[in-house]
């Protein structure tokens, strides 16, 4: 059993105590919360962990809806219906549909593997009706229901006026508490921070940061020891320097280091395992880099080498890295940020994917010159 996993596990979950406490307090006080952070820091896992704890407490019921693949209201409603049916009517799907979607026109088909599949005949007029119907079902549960919409920024792209529809449907509810989550970007921020938008100031906000280094250090050490392995202090420091305590990357690397050794791990061994792992990613990253136009390629290499760049259009940065004109750099920034290859942090621009950054630093050090 590898205690360092990239799938959520309640047993092998590191910290987030302050965040869980805050979210629990919001639930108790019936406040909706928006959770955001850069990608891969642990929003989804945090919600799973909160739900695990709430379900264990037996005072609440929890429903998790992932909106990642949704493109319209109908998809959201379908996802929500399926989650409700799965939770409350696992034994009899058809009975469940009758009870949850009473009065709503539906078709049930049987898929190839024999499982029933729901399709809803949604028209413009009954979309809102169906949504209200589902929420009413949750509103009438005896226990308080916590409903999470992960990747909530997707609703911005729906063709319907989804924000307004959802806000209106959510507002009158008193038995359902909402969690909205997504990665930090202008779509999500505009939604909750712009005074003209329906969700403006409607929620508490939790910005998820990195796990504290001291805590991650302890987590790694104790999890090695728990399974009768050892890791030297320098090795943990080497790993956390490499991953910058970024959750996903730390989990991936500790997972590798853990399973590839069965004795005491030294910093030298950790470095070797990390190098080998980076080698396995080399072809993909090389392809990604090769696909970029020349000005974007040069810029991302320069940013990787600088770690963080607060003023990429400054003469100093442009001269140092022999970049083309200001306008070409500005254009490259825009394009790379849109593709989420570049990330705009409060301190400046960085390469979004840490492994990609390490790849560039290794193979394109000093701007490839
Ligand atoms: N507290 C934690 N302890 C251990 N592993 C964690 C923890 N939080 C997250 N992880 C792991 O880190 C990775 C990233 O977490 P998660 O998918 O929750 O991030 P996210 O912020 O939702 O990312 P995205 O924005 O891409 O959806 C996952 O592999 C997850 O299992
Ligand atoms: Mg997520």
């Amino acid at each position: 059993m590898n205690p360092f996993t990239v799938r959520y596990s309640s047993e092998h979950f590191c910290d987030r105590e302050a965040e869980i406490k805050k979210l629990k307090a919001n639930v108790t006080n019936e406040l909706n919360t928006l959770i955001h952070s850069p990608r891969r820091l642990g929003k989804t896992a945090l919600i799973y962990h909160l739900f695990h704890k709430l379900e264990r407490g037996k005072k609440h019921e929890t429903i998790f809806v992932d909106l990642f693949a949704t493109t319209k209201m109908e998809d959201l409603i379908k996802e929500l219906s399926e989650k409700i049916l799965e939770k409350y009517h696992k034994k009899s799907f058809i009975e469940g549909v009758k009870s949850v979607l009473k009065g709503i026109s539906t078709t049930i088909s049987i898929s190839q593997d024999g499982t029933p599949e729901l399709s809803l005949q949604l028209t413009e007029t009954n979309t809102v009706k169906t949504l209200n119907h589902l929420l009413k079902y949750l509103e009438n549960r005896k226990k308080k229901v916590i409903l999470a919409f992960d990747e909530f920024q997707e609703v911005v792209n729906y063709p319907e006026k989804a924000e307004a529809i959802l806000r209106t449907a959510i507002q009158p509810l008193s038995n359902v508490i909402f969690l909205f989550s997504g990665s930090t970007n202008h779509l999500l921020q505009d939604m909750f921070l712009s005074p003209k938008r329906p969700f403006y100031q409607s929620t508490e906000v939790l910005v998820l940061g990195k796990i504290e280094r001291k805590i991650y250090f302890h987590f790694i050490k104790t999890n090695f020891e728990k399974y009768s392995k050892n890791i030297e202090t320098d090795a943990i420091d080497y790993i956390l320097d490499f991953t910058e305590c970024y959750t996903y990357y730390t989990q991936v690397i500790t997972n590798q280091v853990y399973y590839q050794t069965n004795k005491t791990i030294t910093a030298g061994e950790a470095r070797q395992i990390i190098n080998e792992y980076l080698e396995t990613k080399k072809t993909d990253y090389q392809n990604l880099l090769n696909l970029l136009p020349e000005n974007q390629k040069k810029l991302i290499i320069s940013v990787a080498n600088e770690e963080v760049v607060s003023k990429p259009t400054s003469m100093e940065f442009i001269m140092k890295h022999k970049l083309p004109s200001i306008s070409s750099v500005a254009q490259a920034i825009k394009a790379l940020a849109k593709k989420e290859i570049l990330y705009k942090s409060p301190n400046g621009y960085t390469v979004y994917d840490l492994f990609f950054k390490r790849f560039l630093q290794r193979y394109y050090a000093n701007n490839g010159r």
Side-chain angles (χ1 to χ4, degrees):
M1 172 86 204
N2 192 327
F4 304 100
T5 149
V6 287
R7 292 193 181 169
Y8 167 70
S9 146
S10 62
E11 249 176 280
H12 301 119
F13 190 78
C14 177
D15 190 39
R16 298 302 193 197
E17 282 176 19
E19 290 84 355
I20 292 285
K21 194 171 161 200
K22 174 78 186 146
L23 291 171
K24 275 188 171 173
N26 287 355
V27 165
T28 307
N29 295 307
E30 299 179 13
L31 300 168
N32 298 338
T33 310
L34 164 69
I35 305 171
H36 70 88
S37 80
R39 290 220 161 276
R40 296 173 158 183
L41 265 181
K43 299 171 292 290
T44 303
L46 176 66
I47 299 174
Y48 285 167
H49 201 55
L50 173 76
F51 280 12
H52 168 78
K53 286 178 178 280
L54 290 175
E55 290 282 349
R56 228 176 32 182
K58 301 208 181 297
K59 286 192 190 132
H60 301 91
E61 292 169 345
T62 62
I63 297 183
F64 182 94
V65 180
D66 182 2
L67 298 178
F68 184 69
T70 63
T71 58
K72 50 187 184 306
M73 263 324 265
E74 186 181 340
D75 298 340
L76 179 148
I77 291 172
K78 188 155 181 269
E79 285 292 327
L80 179 59
S81 332
E82 283 172 357
K83 285 300 167 77
I84 293 177
L85 289 167
E86 201 179 285
K87 181 158 186 88
Y88 300 114
H89 297 277
K90 214 168 178 167
K91 290 207 185 99
S92 171
F93 185 82
I94 296 184
E95 284 307 309
V97 174
K98 275 191 203 157
S99 139
V100 176
L101 290 158
K102 198 169 160 193
I104 305 286
S105 174
T106 55
T107 315
I108 298 168
S109 53
I110 306 295
S111 67
Q112 276 191 334
D113 62 5
T115 53
E117 239 176 62
L118 178 69
S119 66
L120 300 162
Q121 281 88 53
L122 291 183
T123 60
E124 217 170 292
T125 43
N126 75 6
T127 297
V128 175
K129 184 178 159 199
T130 311
L131 177 67
N132 283 328
H133 200 85
L134 291 167
L135 293 174
K136 181 95 183 287
Y137 183 86
L138 300 179
E139 180 74 355
N140 290 336
R141 301 289 312 170
K142 282 204 189 79
K143 290 183 186 173
K144 288 250 185 270
V145 177
I146 322 302
L147 175 53
F149 284 121
D150 200 8
E151 304 290 352
F152 192 60
Q153 73 282 348
E154 294 305 318
V155 308
V156 176
N157 300 320
Y158 292 2
E160 301 91 353
K161 287 199 169 76
E163 284 171 69
I165 294 172
L166 284 164
R167 178 84 176 112
T168 310
I170 286 169
Q171 214 155 20
L173 305 174
S174 61
N175 195 50
V176 189
I177 297 155
F178 288 82
L179 291 180
F180 305 102
S181 93
S183 57
T184 311
N185 64 22
H186 70 94
L187 283 183
L188 197 65
Q189 282 171 326
D190 286 356
M191 213 164 156
F192 288 87
L193 296 177
S194 160
K196 283 189 190 154
R197 305 281 283 271
F199 276 92
Y200 176 61
Q201 284 189 344
S202 63
T203 64
E204 294 297 298
V205 180
L206 179 81
V207 183
L208 193 66
K210 288 180 181 173
I211 293 170
E212 228 180 277
R213 184 166 176 131
K214 223 170 52 200
I215 297 176
Y216 229 143
F217 187 101
H218 181 74
F219 175 78
I220 296 170
K221 190 170 166 53
T222 50
N223 270 297
F224 269 85
E225 285 165 2
K226 203 158 133 191
Y227 297 88
S228 309
K229 292 195 187 194
N230 264 306
I231 181 160
E232 287 185 354
T233 301
D234 286 354
I236 306 180
D237 277 328
Y238 185 85
I239 292 170
L240 292 177
D241 285 345
F242 181 86
T243 65
E244 297 173 4
C245 282
Y246 208 115
T247 323
Y248 170 74
Y249 305 99
T250 310
Q251 291 299 120
V252 169
I253 294 299
T254 46
N255 176 286
Q256 294 286 320
V257 171
Y258 180 88
Y259 94 81
Q260 294 200 33
T261 43
N262 49 20
K263 46 177 179 21
T264 300
I265 294 108
T266 63
E269 283 162 335
R271 186 192 311 122
Q272 194 186 338
I273 293 168
I274 288 173
N275 284 347
E276 281 164 14
Y277 184 74
L278 214 53
E279 273 300 304
T280 67
K281 311 279 279 185
K282 195 174 161 188
T283 316
D284 286 347
Y285 284 141
Q286 192 64 60
N287 288 338
L288 172 65
L289 189 66
N290 290 345
L291 283 172
L292 296 177
E294 204 53 35
N295 63 336
Q296 295 180 25
K297 207 164 162 177
K298 276 194 159 158
L299 180 69
I300 200 71
I301 291 170
S302 311
V303 173
N305 277 289
E306 292 283 336
E307 291 279 346
V308 52
V309 181
S310 56
K311 291 196 184 76
T313 50
S314 70
M315 260 352 248
E316 194 197 342
F317 178 72
I318 289 178
M319 304 269 280
K320 182 175 171 192
H321 292 277
K322 296 201 170 62
L323 297 170
S325 64
I326 294 182
S327 66
S328 151
V329 169
Q331 197 191 32
I333 294 170
K334 214 171 147 192
L336 289 168
K338 195 162 175 228
K339 287 186 264 197
E340 293 197 344
I341 294 175
L342 203 61
Y343 179 72
K344 193 180 178 198
S345 77
N347 303 329
Y349 289 93
T350 57
V351 180
Y352 211 144
D353 177 345
L354 185 128
F355 288 152
F356 188 40
K357 177 171 84 176
R358 296 295 186 222
F359 160 85
L360 293 172
Q361 289 172 339
R362 174 152 312 165
Y363 298 102
Y364 293 86
N366 296 324
N367 213 2
R369 276 172 284 149

